[in-house]
Amino acid sequence: MLLYYIKKFKKIMLLSGVASLFTASASIALFHMIGESGHTGFQPLEMVVFGILVVFLLAASMATSYFLSQYSSGTVNSVRQSLIKRILRTDYGLLEKAGRARLYNVLTNDVNAISGALAEMPAFIYNSFLLIACFGYLFVLSELMFGILVVTALVSFLVTRVVMAKITRAANTMREHQDDVIEGYKGILDGAKQLTVNKVRREHFYEQRLQPVMSDLRVSEREYGFAWDINRNISQVLIFITLGTIVAVNQYLQSTELVMSYILIVTYISAPFGYVMNLWQNIARAKVSLQKIESLQLSAEQVEQSDKLEAKSFKEWDHITFKDVSFTYDSDGEEAAFSLPKLNLTLNKGEVLFITGGNGSGKSTFLHLLLGLYSPSNGFIKVDDFAVTESNLDDYRSKITMVLPDFYLYKELLDGDGHPVDLKKANMLLEQFQLSHKLSIDQTGFTATKFSQGQRKRLALISSILEDKDIYVLDEWAADQDPHFRAMFYKELLPRLKAQGKTVIAVTHDDKYFHLADRHIKFDQGNAKELLSDQAA
Ligand SMILES: Nc1ncnc2c1ncn2[C@@H]1O[C@H](COP(=O)(O)OP(=O)(O)OP(=O)(O)O)[C@@H](O)[C@H]1O
């Protein structure tokens, strides 16, 4: 994946490479002039040449910086976009398994780690050119001293490689602890009200949940940083050993100018050399982040266009059939996972179907299967004669609109084809749902954002109605409504939707209105049973 981004930005990398080459050449030319003229001083012409070289160096290094910044911002954005696309395309079941905290960590820490390593690439090229040019120049000056330098560089490289195993281990542990800390942050944000009101809970949460994971993270960060410090310290000591050796061998070479040139250049390249070595640190972190992302099994960035279900037959669909559909959650090892065993069910177009059952009986799990959010473990779902498969899933889902308990209220209101909604119809619905005094709707969506829970749900339903889809999946929509809207939902809205030929599948606990459904399916420990109208009421 790192290579993919390097290739994607090869043009700008090439440009920064060329600019780096000019910078390195100008630096060497300046070193050469200083070395040659150090003892005699500059002649007037040399001063002019020196001045031109300085200006050239400034221009080349500024061009390098410009290309570097272009590249850096480009890669960060590109990594972020690609990950977001992958997450958006990933099967919901996998995202649910990964959990919000891990995904959030991927989008923040991992994106930064990967893009950070990539952003260093042109600077790596720049510094590498500089090193190659300086090494070449030092070789021309003295083969013996060059030999000493090469030995030092090799030792430094080997030390880095040895320390690297420890660094990679530390980076892995650090990354695991970051997930735990983000999970803790989620507890702070999602539970802000409970933590504010309940002092005991707040202190317990801080001391027992947050502090231990933060302390684990601190330990792993310290180990990670310490490993790098060892590496950096050894490299620094090696520079002094090199300089000392150069001075020591001077008794054989007897050339102060040569030694001075060497010391000047070795000191000058110690920073780029350290930089090139340190890049391994970023690569180590990026690799861990890449492994993390791969472990989430996100979808590819580009996926094949989904097959259309036969448009004609689907438009004129008649029923959706669950044929021997079973589903089992992944077990977390502690207790047996919940299952929906062999579900055989037919949902007919144009009917109002109530789904009832006790808490944990499997109603929402069934809806997730119906919505194509979960895939059946066995069996299949059919629309008339067409089996719903991965390739036509998007097309199948496009017929459904929904309001689930954990809905997100998107401010933009769109019809089923993604176009702005009919404003007249939207405003009429606002009137009906008594929201027109709270907000207004225009081409970009609705304006106000502060609603009560019941009002939010009404707005979510309006948004759903405006999508004008065939099938409505509503999970306990009326639960947060006052008696007036509850009655309106069951007695006015559902019959109106039915009259328009819509199919409504609604999870409900409102036994007062059970008789208003065309059909009634009751779940009990995962088993679905259709109740006759006299049983349902
Ligand atoms: N993501 C999940 N992973 C594992 N088990 C789950 C998951 N979601 C739900 N379950 C389990 O599946 C069972 C059925 O849950 P489901 O949400 O379908 O029930 P429900 O009938 O909708 O309940 P409620 O009326 O409380 O909303 C529960 O025992 C629950 O613990």
Side-chain angles (χ1 to χ4, degrees):
M1 193 178 170
L2 286 179
L3 272 178
Y4 165 76
Y5 287 106
I6 292 172
K7 278 187 198 151
K8 193 167 173 184
F9 288 92
K10 61 177 184 281
K11 201 167 151 197
I12 197 111
M13 276 185 76
L14 203 69
L15 286 170
S16 54
V18 172
S20 309
L21 200 63
F22 285 132
T23 311
S25 312
S27 306
I28 294 299
L30 285 168
F31 276 128
H32 182 70
M33 283 191 76
I34 293 168
E36 288 291 298
S37 315
H39 60 293
T40 54
F42 284 142
Q43 301 302 312
L45 183 63
E46 284 172 329
M47 278 181 73
V48 173
V49 174
F50 190 83
I52 290 172
L53 276 174
V54 168
V55 173
F56 183 71
L57 175 66
L58 186 66
S61 55
M62 278 173 62
T64 309
S65 301
Y66 173 76
F67 293 132
L68 287 184
S69 62
Q70 290 275 317
Y71 174 83
S72 301
S73 56
T75 44
V76 174
N77 189 36
S78 183
V79 173
R80 210 175 275 143
Q81 277 189 5
S82 136
L83 259 176
I84 288 171
K85 271 190 208 158
R86 291 183 66 188
I87 290 176
L88 285 175
R89 284 164 205 247
T90 296
D91 194 56
Y92 172 78
L94 287 173
L95 295 182
E96 190 185 47
K97 222 180 284 170
R100 282 169 61 192
R102 281 174 75 193
L103 289 170
Y104 179 76
N105 208 3
V106 161
L107 284 168
T108 51
N109 282 327
D110 292 327
V111 166
N112 287 345
I114 296 167
S115 47
L118 286 165
E120 303 279 358
M121 286 300 161
F124 173 77
I125 294 176
Y126 166 74
N127 285 299
S128 301
F129 273 128
L130 204 63
L131 286 176
I132 292 166
C134 288
F135 270 66
Y137 183 62
L138 291 173
F139 178 73
V140 173
L141 287 183
S142 161
E143 289 171 19
L144 175 64
M145 291 198 192
F146 176 76
I148 294 167
L149 206 62
V150 168
V151 170
T152 315
L154 278 178
V155 172
S156 186
F157 179 74
L158 289 175
V159 168
T160 304
R161 297 295 298 170
V162 172
V163 179
M164 202 60 204
K166 190 173 166 50
I167 287 168
T168 307
R169 260 199 316 277
N172 267 314
T173 320
M174 196 167 74
R175 180 60 186 73
E176 291 300 328
H177 291 150
Q178 276 168 351
D179 274 351
D180 298 338
V181 171
I182 299 272
E183 185 64 50
Y185 291 165
K186 198 171 153 274
I188 298 179
L189 299 177
D190 292 353
K193 286 181 200 159
Q194 285 124 290
L195 294 181
T196 306
V197 173
N198 188 339
K199 185 167 178 274
V200 176
R201 158 81 57 204
R202 184 169 68 233
E203 286 172 0
H204 182 272
F205 182 72
Y206 178 71
E207 282 159 22
Q208 305 297 324
R209 278 283 304 281
L210 274 179
Q211 267 196 337
V213 290
M214 288 197 305
S215 148
D216 286 346
L217 179 61
R218 183 175 58 89
V219 170
S220 58
E221 278 174 345
R222 191 181 58 209
E223 280 175 9
Y224 177 75
F226 186 57
W228 271 107
D229 286 344
I230 294 174
N231 189 51
R232 198 169 32 249
N233 294 342
I234 293 176
S235 299
Q236 269 171 7
V237 167
L238 279 171
I239 287 172
F240 281 105
I241 293 175
T242 314
L243 293 177
T245 315
I246 287 170
V247 174
V249 295
N250 189 38
Q251 56 181 302
Y252 304 108
L253 297 173
Q254 296 286 329
S255 168
T256 312
E257 272 171 30
L258 190 61
V259 168
M260 290 315 291
S261 289
Y262 250 84
I263 290 177
L264 184 69
I265 296 175
V266 168
T267 311
Y268 177 71
I269 63 173
S270 62
F273 187 73
Y275 180 88
V276 170
M277 290 293 138
N278 275 345
L279 188 75
W280 293 108
Q281 177 182 10
N282 294 340
I283 289 179
R285 287 189 71 167
K287 269 185 169 170
V288 170
S289 289
L290 281 172
Q291 279 163 10
K292 262 284 163 194
I293 292 171
E294 290 320 312
S295 75
L296 297 181
Q297 297 175 291
L298 296 179
S299 190
E301 193 179 336
Q302 305 289 342
V303 287
E304 282 168 27
Q305 198 63 32
S306 61
D307 298 347
K308 293 270 176 217
L309 274 172
E310 282 258 349
K312 186 166 168 284
S313 56
F314 195 76
K315 241 183 203 151
E316 293 161 14
W317 69 280
D318 199 42
H319 48 264
I320 295 174
T321 313
F322 277 57
K323 178 86 184 112
D324 293 335
V325 170
S326 64
F327 177 80
T328 306
Y329 285 106
D330 281 350
S331 166
D332 57 10
E334 283 164 21
E335 51 184 273
F338 178 83
S339 294
L340 282 186
K342 270 211 179 175
L343 190 59
N344 282 296
L345 190 67
T346 299
L347 313 173
N348 300 310
K349 188 171 187 181
E351 66 187 9
V352 173
L353 186 91
F354 283 179
I355 309 286
T356 65
N359 294 135
S361 57
K363 303 180 296 294
S364 298
T365 309
F366 164 70
L367 290 193
H368 279 62
L369 284 161
L370 177 66
L371 291 165
L373 291 171
Y374 295 160
S375 310
S377 310
N378 281 302
F380 51 89
I381 299 172
K382 276 175 38 172
V383 177
D384 294 345
D385 294 329
F386 297 93
V388 177
T389 62
E390 210 172 303
S391 60
N392 58 28
L393 199 52
D394 265 348
D395 198 33
Y396 164 72
R397 286 173 179 147
S398 72
K399 309 296 168 196
I400 308 175
T401 184
M402 63 188 183
V403 183
L404 301 186
D406 56 354
F407 67 94
Y408 181 87
L409 201 52
Y410 291 95
K411 159 179 179 309
E412 301 80 12
L413 295 170
L414 303 173
D415 71 9
D417 297 320
H419 301 129
V421 293
D422 175 356
L423 287 182
K424 204 167 140 218
K425 187 174 172 191
N427 283 307
M428 224 168 67
L429 285 165
L430 277 189
E431 289 284 338
Q432 279 168 14
F433 282 87
Q434 295 181 15
L435 285 173
S436 50
H437 67 290
K438 284 294 298 178
L439 73 154
S440 59
I441 294 179
D442 62 22
Q443 288 296 339
T444 57
F446 58 85
T447 43
T449 49
K450 304 275 185 250
F451 304 109
S452 73
Q453 179 61 5
Q455 289 169 337
R456 284 186 78 239
K457 265 199 160 171
R458 273 185 258 156
L459 198 45
L461 187 53
I462 290 178
S463 173
S464 212
I465 294 170
L466 289 169
E467 286 181 2
D468 196 25
K469 304 275 183 81
D470 272 6
I471 304 166
Y472 285 66
V473 171
L474 306 171
D475 193 350
E476 298 190 45
W477 182 85
D480 303 286
Q481 301 303 317
D482 60 31
H484 168 74
F485 278 105
R486 203 173 280 216
M488 178 189 145
F489 174 73
Y490 289 105
K491 291 184 175 169
E492 290 176 35
L493 186 77
L494 296 189
R496 201 185 317 144
L497 290 174
K498 182 178 161 62
Q500 289 167 8
K502 308 292 183 191
T503 308
V504 181
I505 296 124
V507 168
T508 172
H509 293 294
D510 290 326
D511 47 3
K512 191 173 152 191
Y513 298 105
F514 281 179
H515 64 283
L516 295 175
D518 293 325
R519 285 171 66 201
H520 182 162
I521 307 252
K522 185 171 180 182
F523 275 81
D524 183 16
Q525 295 182 13
N527 294 296
K529 185 177 167 206
E530 176 140 15
L531 301 185
L532 302 172
S533 49
D534 54 336
Q535 293 174 301

